[in-house]
Amino acid sequence: MLKDINEGLILLKAEIRKKEKWDNQLKHYRIELADLEKDVLNLENTLEMEQKDVERLEGFSVTKFFLTLRGTADERLEEEKKEVAAVQLRLEEARLAKKEVMDLINDLEDKLNHAGNVEKDYEKLFATKEQYLKESNSRTSTFLYESYEKEADVKALQKELNEAIHAGTKVNDALKRAIDSLEKAKGWGTVDMIGGGLLSTALKHGHMDDSSGHVHEAQYLMRKFQKELLDLNQTATMELEVSGLLKFSDYFFDGIIMDMLVQDKITISLENTKRQQNDISRLLSNLRVQLGQKNRELDRILSERKEFVESV
């Protein structure tokens, strides 16, 4: 009887921890969503103002008249167009992140709605166990009670560590793909600077697009990874701006100076991505060490219980 009760408590305790984890993640996602909504609104307002600046320069105005006399109208217009493109990139990224966070919130709310009242089930079964132990009042029952409690706690932490490792490995893989694309973009960028022509330019931008997609994927996965780490009291951050590789500038200017500027941005983004990937790898290594410790701890608990039962 006691064995069945203990096994039931272990399962219920795992479900309770899962609910607590989902609830904690939901709170953080809601805070993140509020911040993203502000970012989207601010970027929309900024984009509207930047577009008006472009329209003023493209149409007739006193400002444009005097800029034309000074011979700077075209340069000013190109700068304004670049600023519009930059804001558009940031706005698209913010909108996509907002949608992803909303999807994650809806998923967690659905899970919590279907989780049931496992806390009440746990309290009921725990009360049954307490009554059983009071009636038996034996050293064996007390030892087994404590042993199963330890087992439940260790198994719960093992599960959290495994989930965090799984999430972190996905981030790491996405960053590796981004690095591969950036290295290819850097290689074709070098060819482009020495006169590679339209083909090398197209290939370079294709790999830049790929790396931007991989980094966005890594940012999305990092968001989930961070929430997995909350229960482990660890944090990870990622600040990568691969979407801002000045690609829009390269389309406006087809000269060696702008090609060199883009190449510099590719190199910087590549270094930042490699650094981030190294940080994630170190964090994963630490998590695996902790998991190994918990595995050994569980083996010890089970071994001690087996020896105790064999001796009584």
Side-chain angles (χ1 to χ4, degrees), residues 169-186:
T169 300
K170 286 187 173 182
V171 176
N172 209 32
D173 291 342
L175 288 172
K176 287 179 180 178
R177 290 192 290 271
I179 290 170
D180 181 63
S181 294
L182 282 167
E183 287 177 336
K184 290 176 180 176
K186 183 178 179 181

PDB file of all heavy atoms in Angstrom, residues 169-186:
ATOM      1  N   THR A 169      20.093  23.229 -26.297  1.00  0.00           N
ATOM      2  CA  THR A 169      20.713  22.576 -27.459  1.00  0.00           C
ATOM      3  C   THR A 169      20.104  23.088 -28.757  1.00  0.00           C
ATOM      4  O   THR A 169      20.811  23.284 -29.756  1.00  0.00           O
ATOM      5  CB  THR A 169      20.525  21.050 -27.365  1.00  0.00           C
ATOM      6  OG1 THR A 169      21.154  20.570 -26.157  1.00  0.00           O
ATOM      7  CG2 THR A 169      21.166  20.342 -28.560  1.00  0.00           C
ATOM      8  N   LYS A 170      18.807  23.345 -28.759  1.00  0.00           N
ATOM      9  CA  LYS A 170      18.154  23.903 -29.944  1.00  0.00           C
ATOM     10  C   LYS A 170      18.684  25.301 -30.254  1.00  0.00           C
ATOM     11  O   LYS A 170      18.906  25.649 -31.417  1.00  0.00           O
ATOM     12  CB  LYS A 170      16.636  23.954 -29.735  1.00  0.00           C
ATOM     13  CG  LYS A 170      15.946  22.601 -29.815  1.00  0.00           C
ATOM     14  CD  LYS A 170      14.436  22.764 -29.776  1.00  0.00           C
ATOM     15  CE  LYS A 170      13.718  21.448 -30.017  1.00  0.00           C
ATOM     16  NZ  LYS A 170      12.246  21.603 -30.029  1.00  0.00           N
ATOM     17  N   VAL A 171      18.893  26.112 -29.216  1.00  0.00           N
ATOM     18  CA  VAL A 171      19.477  27.446 -29.413  1.00  0.00           C
ATOM     19  C   VAL A 171      20.867  27.322 -30.020  1.00  0.00           C
ATOM     20  O   VAL A 171      21.224  28.018 -30.978  1.00  0.00           O
ATOM     21  CB  VAL A 171      19.560  28.219 -28.073  1.00  0.00           C
ATOM     22  CG1 VAL A 171      20.258  29.559 -28.270  1.00  0.00           C
ATOM     23  CG2 VAL A 171      18.173  28.437 -27.493  1.00  0.00           C
ATOM     24  N   ASN A 172      21.651  26.433 -29.445  1.00  0.00           N
ATOM     25  CA  ASN A 172      23.027  26.230 -29.896  1.00  0.00           C
ATOM     26  C   ASN A 172      23.076  25.827 -31.369  1.00  0.00           C
ATOM     27  O   ASN A 172      23.905  26.322 -32.145  1.00  0.00           O
ATOM     28  CB  ASN A 172      23.691  25.152 -29.035  1.00  0.00           C
ATOM     29  CG  ASN A 172      25.182  25.338 -28.904  1.00  0.00           C
ATOM     30  OD1 ASN A 172      25.685  26.456 -28.913  1.00  0.00           O
ATOM     31  ND2 ASN A 172      25.900  24.246 -28.795  1.00  0.00           N
ATOM     32  N   ASP A 173      22.184  24.921 -31.759  1.00  0.00           N
ATOM     33  CA  ASP A 173      22.148  24.465 -33.153  1.00  0.00           C
ATOM     34  C   ASP A 173      21.777  25.603 -34.098  1.00  0.00           C
ATOM     35  O   ASP A 173      22.346  25.720 -35.194  1.00  0.00           O
ATOM     36  CB  ASP A 173      21.149  23.314 -33.297  1.00  0.00           C
ATOM     37  CG  ASP A 173      21.608  22.034 -32.603  1.00  0.00           C
ATOM     38  OD1 ASP A 173      22.818  21.932 -32.308  1.00  0.00           O
ATOM     39  OD2 ASP A 173      20.765  21.153 -32.356  1.00  0.00           O
ATOM     40  N   ALA A 174      20.815  26.438 -33.684  1.00  0.00           N
ATOM     41  CA  ALA A 174      20.409  27.576 -34.521  1.00  0.00           C
ATOM     42  C   ALA A 174      21.552  28.566 -34.677  1.00  0.00           C
ATOM     43  O   ALA A 174      21.769  29.132 -35.760  1.00  0.00           O
ATOM     44  CB  ALA A 174      19.184  28.265 -33.919  1.00  0.00           C
ATOM     45  N   LEU A 175      22.303  28.793 -33.609  1.00  0.00           N
ATOM     46  CA  LEU A 175      23.448  29.707 -33.677  1.00  0.00           C
ATOM     47  C   LEU A 175      24.543  29.148 -34.585  1.00  0.00           C
ATOM     48  O   LEU A 175      25.205  29.890 -35.314  1.00  0.00           O
ATOM     49  CB  LEU A 175      24.001  29.960 -32.272  1.00  0.00           C
ATOM     50  CG  LEU A 175      23.132  30.837 -31.366  1.00  0.00           C
ATOM     51  CD1 LEU A 175      23.687  30.843 -29.945  1.00  0.00           C
ATOM     52  CD2 LEU A 175      23.050  32.265 -31.899  1.00  0.00           C
ATOM     53  N   LYS A 176      24.740  27.840 -34.543  1.00  0.00           N
ATOM     54  CA  LYS A 176      25.734  27.215 -35.431  1.00  0.00           C
ATOM     55  C   LYS A 176      25.348  27.423 -36.894  1.00  0.00           C
ATOM     56  O   LYS A 176      26.204  27.692 -37.743  1.00  0.00           O
ATOM     57  CB  LYS A 176      25.855  25.725 -35.125  1.00  0.00           C
ATOM     58  CG  LYS A 176      26.587  25.414 -33.819  1.00  0.00           C
ATOM     59  CD  LYS A 176      26.632  23.902 -33.576  1.00  0.00           C
ATOM     60  CE  LYS A 176      27.360  23.575 -32.273  1.00  0.00           C
ATOM     61  NZ  LYS A 176      27.366  22.117 -31.999  1.00  0.00           N
ATOM     62  N   ARG A 177      24.040  27.305 -37.179  1.00  0.00           N
ATOM     63  CA  ARG A 177      23.581  27.537 -38.554  1.00  0.00           C
ATOM     64  C   ARG A 177      23.779  28.995 -38.957  1.00  0.00           C
ATOM     65  O   ARG A 177      24.143  29.295 -40.100  1.00  0.00           O
ATOM     66  CB  ARG A 177      22.107  27.138 -38.682  1.00  0.00           C
ATOM     67  CG  ARG A 177      21.867  25.635 -38.598  1.00  0.00           C
ATOM     68  CD  ARG A 177      20.452  25.266 -39.006  1.00  0.00           C
ATOM     69  NE  ARG A 177      19.454  25.709 -38.038  1.00  0.00           N
ATOM     70  CZ  ARG A 177      19.061  24.989 -36.997  1.00  0.00           C
ATOM     71  NH1 ARG A 177      19.593  23.797 -36.757  1.00  0.00           N
ATOM     72  NH2 ARG A 177      18.139  25.453 -36.184  1.00  0.00           N
ATOM     73  N   ALA A 178      23.560  29.912 -38.014  1.00  0.00           N
ATOM     74  CA  ALA A 178      23.773  31.334 -38.295  1.00  0.00           C
ATOM     75  C   ALA A 178      25.250  31.615 -38.575  1.00  0.00           C
ATOM     76  O   ALA A 178      25.591  32.375 -39.489  1.00  0.00           O
ATOM     77  CB  ALA A 178      23.289  32.183 -37.114  1.00  0.00           C
ATOM     78  N   ILE A 179      26.121  31.000 -37.797  1.00  0.00           N
ATOM     79  CA  ILE A 179      27.562  31.176 -37.992  1.00  0.00           C
ATOM     80  C   ILE A 179      27.983  30.676 -39.359  1.00  0.00           C
ATOM     81  O   ILE A 179      28.763  31.328 -40.073  1.00  0.00           O
ATOM     82  CB  ILE A 179      28.344  30.448 -36.871  1.00  0.00           C
ATOM     83  CG1 ILE A 179      28.156  31.186 -35.541  1.00  0.00           C
ATOM     84  CG2 ILE A 179      29.834  30.335 -37.214  1.00  0.00           C
ATOM     85  CD1 ILE A 179      28.677  30.420 -34.342  1.00  0.00           C
ATOM     86  N   ASP A 180      27.465  29.520 -39.744  1.00  0.00           N
ATOM     87  CA  ASP A 180      27.798  28.954 -41.059  1.00  0.00           C
ATOM     88  C   ASP A 180      27.377  29.907 -42.176  1.00  0.00           C
ATOM     89  O   ASP A 180      28.145  30.143 -43.123  1.00  0.00           O
ATOM     90  CB  ASP A 180      27.099  27.596 -41.219  1.00  0.00           C
ATOM     91  CG  ASP A 180      27.415  26.936 -42.559  1.00  0.00           C
ATOM     92  OD1 ASP A 180      28.595  26.626 -42.805  1.00  0.00           O
ATOM     93  OD2 ASP A 180      26.484  26.740 -43.362  1.00  0.00           O
ATOM     94  N   SER A 181      26.165  30.474 -42.071  1.00  0.00           N
ATOM     95  CA  SER A 181      25.687  31.403 -43.099  1.00  0.00           C
ATOM     96  C   SER A 181      26.500  32.691 -43.114  1.00  0.00           C
ATOM     97  O   SER A 181      26.808  33.236 -44.179  1.00  0.00           O
ATOM     98  CB  SER A 181      24.201  31.723 -42.857  1.00  0.00           C
ATOM     99  OG  SER A 181      23.402  30.577 -43.033  1.00  0.00           O
ATOM    100  N   LEU A 182      26.865  33.190 -41.937  1.00  0.00           N
ATOM    101  CA  LEU A 182      27.656  34.424 -41.868  1.00  0.00           C
ATOM    102  C   LEU A 182      29.057  34.217 -42.440  1.00  0.00           C
ATOM    103  O   LEU A 182      29.603  35.111 -43.089  1.00  0.00           O
ATOM    104  CB  LEU A 182      27.749  34.906 -40.415  1.00  0.00           C
ATOM    105  CG  LEU A 182      26.499  35.611 -39.877  1.00  0.00           C
ATOM    106  CD1 LEU A 182      26.581  35.752 -38.359  1.00  0.00           C
ATOM    107  CD2 LEU A 182      26.330  36.985 -40.516  1.00  0.00           C
ATOM    108  N   GLU A 183      29.632  33.063 -42.199  1.00  0.00           N
ATOM    109  CA  GLU A 183      30.958  32.774 -42.755  1.00  0.00           C
ATOM    110  C   GLU A 183      30.901  32.718 -44.281  1.00  0.00           C
ATOM    111  O   GLU A 183      31.814  33.187 -44.975  1.00  0.00           O
ATOM    112  CB  GLU A 183      31.507  31.476 -42.174  1.00  0.00           C
ATOM    113  CG  GLU A 183      31.952  31.620 -40.713  1.00  0.00           C
ATOM    114  CD  GLU A 183      32.440  30.326 -40.106  1.00  0.00           C
ATOM    115  OE1 GLU A 183      32.033  29.251 -40.612  1.00  0.00           O
ATOM    116  OE2 GLU A 183      33.203  30.371 -39.115  1.00  0.00           O
ATOM    117  N   LYS A 184      29.814  32.150 -44.806  1.00  0.00           N
ATOM    118  CA  LYS A 184      29.644  32.126 -46.254  1.00  0.00           C
ATOM    119  C   LYS A 184      29.425  33.533 -46.809  1.00  0.00           C
ATOM    120  O   LYS A 184      29.958  33.898 -47.859  1.00  0.00           O
ATOM    121  CB  LYS A 184      28.469  31.227 -46.625  1.00  0.00           C
ATOM    122  CG  LYS A 184      28.731  29.741 -46.388  1.00  0.00           C
ATOM    123  CD  LYS A 184      27.494  28.900 -46.684  1.00  0.00           C
ATOM    124  CE  LYS A 184      27.771  27.424 -46.430  1.00  0.00           C
ATOM    125  NZ  LYS A 184      26.551  26.598 -46.627  1.00  0.00           N
ATOM    126  N   ALA A 185      28.624  34.336 -46.086  1.00  0.00           N
ATOM    127  CA  ALA A 185      28.390  35.721 -46.517  1.00  0.00           C
ATOM    128  C   ALA A 185      29.690  36.517 -46.498  1.00  0.00           C
ATOM    129  O   ALA A 185      29.958  37.322 -47.398  1.00  0.00           O
ATOM    130  CB  ALA A 185      27.359  36.382 -45.597  1.00  0.00           C
ATOM    131  N   LYS A 186      30.511  36.270 -45.477  1.00  0.00           N
ATOM    132  CA  LYS A 186      31.796  36.962 -45.384  1.00  0.00           C
ATOM    133  C   LYS A 186      32.703  36.586 -46.555  1.00  0.00           C
ATOM    134  O   LYS A 186      33.380  37.442 -47.141  1.00  0.00           O
ATOM    135  CB  LYS A 186      32.474  36.616 -44.058  1.00  0.00           C
ATOM    136  CG  LYS A 186      33.795  37.346 -43.831  1.00  0.00           C
ATOM    137  CD  LYS A 186      34.394  36.987 -42.483  1.00  0.00           C
ATOM    138  CE  LYS A 186      35.720  37.709 -42.269  1.00  0.00           C
ATOM    139  NZ  LYS A 186      36.333  37.346 -40.967  1.00  0.00           N
TER     140      LYS A 186
END
